[in-house]
């Protein structure tokens, strides 16, 4: 049964269902080597379209997922932020992860943290999740800083991400966790 599509709003941002106009800036973002520095490779237009289709379909089905992120004032597509159930085998599954990817020209404005706070609130208050995780390459200090600003706790052990080929420096990942109790007690 399809769920109503959730839309989240913050002071500056809107997290919403994907639109056709998001596709070109999404493809440009995924083709940017700096944005994709901590992924095995950049994405071509077909791969970006497939990912956007997948995100849109999951939101239509569940009501939540990796939402398109838009700057409210200018209605400008900035990237995505949201929740996901990973589809690769990870050592800490089952889990729901929070994730984000923003255009390079949107970096440094606090958008990822602002949007992720709204997503965490939705996950804990609306979906009643017991825990939300986040993970990234141990070399991705920028995303780790966002995770720490959100109050997530880094776990001691690291893991090799199965989607990253052996030998790549970005294969080793760190895991952050946040429980509902921690969120509500902050």
């Amino acid at each position: 049964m399809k769920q109503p599509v959730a839309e989240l709003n913050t002071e500056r941002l809107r997290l919403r269902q994907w639109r056709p106009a998001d596709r070109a800036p999404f493809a440009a973002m995924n083709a940017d080597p700096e944005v994709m520095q901590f992924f095995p490779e950049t994405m071509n237009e077909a791969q970006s379209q497939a990912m956007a289709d997948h995100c849109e379909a999951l939101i239509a089905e569940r009501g939540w997922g990796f939402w398109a992120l838009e700057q409210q004032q200018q209605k400008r597509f900035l990237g995505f932020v949201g929740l996901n159930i990973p589809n690769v085998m990870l050592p800490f599954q089952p889990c729901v992860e929070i994730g984000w990817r923003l255009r390079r020209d949107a970096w440094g404005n606090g958008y990822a943290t602002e949007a992720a706070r709204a997503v965490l609130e939705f996950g804990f208050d609306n979906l009643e999740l017991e825990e939300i995780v986040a993970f990234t390459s141990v070399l991705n200090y920028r995303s780790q800083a966002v995770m720490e600003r959100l109050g997530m706790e880094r776990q001691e052990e690291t893991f090799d991400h199965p989607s990253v080929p052996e030998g790549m420096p970005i294969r080793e990942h760190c895991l952050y966790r946040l429980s509902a109790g921690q969120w509500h007690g902050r």
Side-chain angles (χ1 to χ4, degrees):
M1 183 170 90
K2 287 191 175 190
Q3 300 295 315
V5 173
E7 186 173 283
L8 310 179
N9 292 287
T10 70
E11 184 178 328
R12 302 180 296 165
L13 306 169
R14 173 172 292 119
L15 292 100
R16 57 162 174 76
Q17 180 58 292
W18 292 74
R19 298 178 184 150
D22 300 331
R23 303 310 175 101
F26 184 58
M29 178 182 80
N30 290 329
D32 183 331
E34 203 168 338
V35 170
M36 301 299 286
Q37 178 181 3
F38 299 105
F39 292 88
E41 59 189 4
T42 58
M43 296 170 76
N44 62 36
E45 190 168 342
Q47 291 168 319
S48 285
Q49 298 306 327
M51 182 177 179
D53 288 344
H54 183 68
C55 291
E56 184 177 352
L58 286 176
I59 292 169
E61 179 185 321
R62 298 188 298 220
W64 56 273
F66 282 146
W67 288 281
L69 181 65
E70 175 183 270
Q71 189 180 38
Q72 284 202 36
Q73 291 272 21
Q74 299 171 339
K75 306 272 191 252
R76 188 169 73 104
F77 175 84
L78 300 176
F80 70 80
V81 180
L83 298 170
N84 181 54
I85 299 171
N87 60 3
V88 296
M89 287 304 300
L90 299 169
F92 44 86
Q93 283 179 303
C95 65
V96 175
E97 69 164 313
I98 186 169
W100 49 82
R101 186 178 308 160
L102 273 62
R103 295 162 48 143
R104 191 164 15 118
D105 62 0
W107 292 359
N109 295 296
Y111 294 144
T113 303
E114 182 178 329
R117 280 195 180 109
V119 168
L120 289 171
E121 182 176 344
F122 176 83
F124 289 125
D125 294 350
N126 296 68
L127 301 179
E128 299 179 346
L129 297 172
E130 293 179 22
E131 179 182 70
I132 297 174
V133 303
F135 49 90
T136 189
S137 168
V138 295
L139 302 175
N140 188 349
Y141 304 116
R142 189 182 302 260
S143 277
Q144 290 177 55
V146 173
M147 294 167 192
E148 289 167 11
R149 280 193 294 275
L150 295 170
M152 303 186 90
E153 292 184 357
R154 183 172 172 164
Q155 306 302 291
E156 247 182 77
E157 288 187 29
T158 61
F159 67 98
D160 288 341
H161 197 291
S163 297
V164 179
E166 285 189 38
M168 289 191 82
I170 61 168
R171 184 173 166 95
E172 184 183 9
H173 275 53
C174 53
L175 172 68
Y176 283 75
R177 295 180 183 272
L178 183 64
S179 71
Q182 291 169 312
W183 174 257
H184 292 298
R186 71 194 186 290

